[in-house]
Amino acid sequence: MKTTIEREFGKLTYEESFWTGKKKIILNGQELVKLDKTTFQYTDEEGKIKNLFLTGNFVGGVKLSFDGYHCQLTAPAKWYEYALAIIGFAFVL
């Protein structure tokens, strides 16, 4: 899954692998350094090193926070997506 947003801080691209869950973030054409599973590090225009944090997953929606800025990168699953999964499972039973 790949999502791109453009905000006041620039162009941010978020990629997450469906099978492995690996996450990758590109901010203004520069791939961010991954510190751990949900923390990424970047250098701002002034040369300061800052951290960017992710919460959530592709099912519940991914949220981004850094420098007091918070935004929703991906939308959570809709109610009918859950219903279709349950109906399919119930049909197999």
Side-chain angles (χ1 to χ4, degrees), residues 8-92:
E8 58 272 4
F9 52 81
K11 183 177 180 180
L12 185 128
T13 303
Y14 170 76
E15 295 180 26
E16 181 176 1
S17 171
F18 175 78
W19 299 107
T20 63
K22 288 178 83 174
K23 298 172 177 135
K24 182 168 123 177
I25 297 179
I26 300 169
L27 180 61
N28 296 326
Q30 175 188 8
E31 186 172 346
L32 303 186
V33 177
K34 188 173 186 176
L35 297 179
D36 63 27
K37 195 172 184 178
T38 59
T39 307
F40 293 82
Q41 193 174 57
Y42 72 100
T43 306
D44 65 358
E45 300 85 29
E46 300 169 357
K48 295 180 183 176
I49 297 175
K50 297 187 177 184
N51 290 334
L52 184 138
F53 304 98
L54 294 175
T55 56
N57 55 24
F58 70 95
V59 176
V62 177
K63 296 178 181 113
L64 166 80
S65 62
F66 68 100
D67 282 346
Y69 184 81
H70 306 284
C71 72
Q72 183 87 23
L73 288 178
T74 62
K78 307 284 189 234
W79 66 270
Y80 53 84
E81 294 171 333
Y82 288 114
L84 286 174
I86 292 170
I87 289 170
F89 181 71
F91 182 71
V92 170

